[in-house]
Amino acid sequence: MTDRPLIVTVLACCLVLGSAMVLGALWSASPGGHAFAAAATSSYDSSWLPWAGALVAAGCAGGFLLGWPMARLLFVCWMGYGVVEGLFLLDQPHYSLPVIAIYLVIAGLLFAPPAVNDWFRRPSA
């Protein structure tokens, strides 16, 4: 199979776009960028988490486009860590059922369709 499934392309493009937006907001010296950084790190002691999240998402998107199996595993683990952290590790829970449902749909789209599994299991060149 040489054609990348559409769902993989759409998910990767959404991740690249989201990562670019987050990194742009964090990198800018605008008041909006500072407000975003403050809101994204309000529950944490350090400000590295939004940077790390954007970089992990961008790296996973590149891995999706190249068909690297570890990219989808890393992304699902990163989403799972976010859910566990939001529900159990923070002083105030920050996750809602719609967010968890969206994460489950994304994980299902990365593992359930046969075309996607074929894309990630194809032999390397």
Side-chain angles (χ1 to χ4, degrees):
M1 176 176 178
T2 60
D3 294 336
R4 183 182 322 115
L6 179 63
I7 192 63
V8 172
T9 305
V10 169
L11 284 173
C13 290
C14 289
L15 287 175
V16 167
L17 180 63
S19 296
M21 291 170 55
V22 168
L23 289 174
L26 292 172
W27 193 270
S28 73
S30 68
H34 289 286
F36 174 76
T41 60
S42 63
S43 299
Y44 305 98
D45 293 333
S46 65
S47 61
W48 64 268
L49 191 62
W51 291 93
L55 293 175
V56 167
C60 288
F64 290 173
L65 294 174
L66 294 173
W68 294 348
M70 290 305 294
R72 67 178 176 167
L73 294 174
L74 175 63
F75 191 68
V76 169
C77 289
W78 185 260
M79 288 190 306
Y81 173 75
V83 170
V84 169
E85 180 185 41
L87 288 174
F88 304 113
L89 301 178
L90 297 177
D91 293 335
Q92 298 174 348
H94 285 306
Y95 273 89
S96 61
L97 290 177
V99 171
I100 295 171
I102 290 170
Y103 281 1
L104 288 173
V105 167
I106 292 171
L109 289 173
L110 285 173
F111 284 93
V116 173
N117 284 328
D118 291 344
W119 172 252
F120 286 108
R121 290 184 182 151
R122 74 190 196 311
S124 300

